[in-house]
Amino acid sequence: MSEQIESAEDFTPEDLVDWVEHLVATLESVDKSTGMSWCAQWWNHPEAVERFRALFEKWAEAQKEGGMSSWWIDHFDRHAVVLFAKRGPFGECGTKHVEKGTRRILATEQPPSDWSW
């Protein structure tokens, strides 16, 4: 993690892996007895990947512009509640990755052509 990431467009999947291994995995403590879960194959959980990507983008901004305390409170703490929850992306994993059953995709329909927000 020696290189400074200038913007979200500058980082690669390898940068994200490095960030998770050197920041998240070394600073976060997950206690199974409190219902928290982790998976060493975090990259095998699409929701976790998207949340870590979002966290990494905001972390890079905070590193560049300042505001790390806000990053922890406003970003990491809020995502951690979901990421490590028993019903979160790692909820079925323990000391090893457990493949979830059929992944349920929410049905969506296109709004009417006159729909607006």
Side-chain angles (χ1 to χ4, degrees), residues 34-54:
T34 63
M36 297 174 75
S37 299
W38 170 251
C39 182
Q41 289 185 22
W42 60 270
W43 41 264
N44 214 356
H45 297 271
E47 179 184 354
V49 170
E50 290 304 315
R51 286 179 179 275
F52 283 139
R53 284 183 65 181

Side-chain angles (χ1 to χ4, degrees), residues 73-114:
I73 294 166
D74 297 332
H75 299 285
F76 186 83
D77 289 348
R78 293 178 184 267
H79 283 284
V81 169
V82 175
L83 282 165
F84 307 118
K86 183 63 182 160
R87 296 188 63 159
F90 309 132
E92 296 176 25
C93 299
T95 56
K96 63 182 175 136
H97 176 72
V98 175
E99 192 69 40
K100 288 190 176 190
T102 303
R103 183 166 170 80
R104 186 172 66 101
I105 305 296
L106 302 176
T108 61
E109 296 180 8
Q110 290 292 309
S113 59
D114 61 344

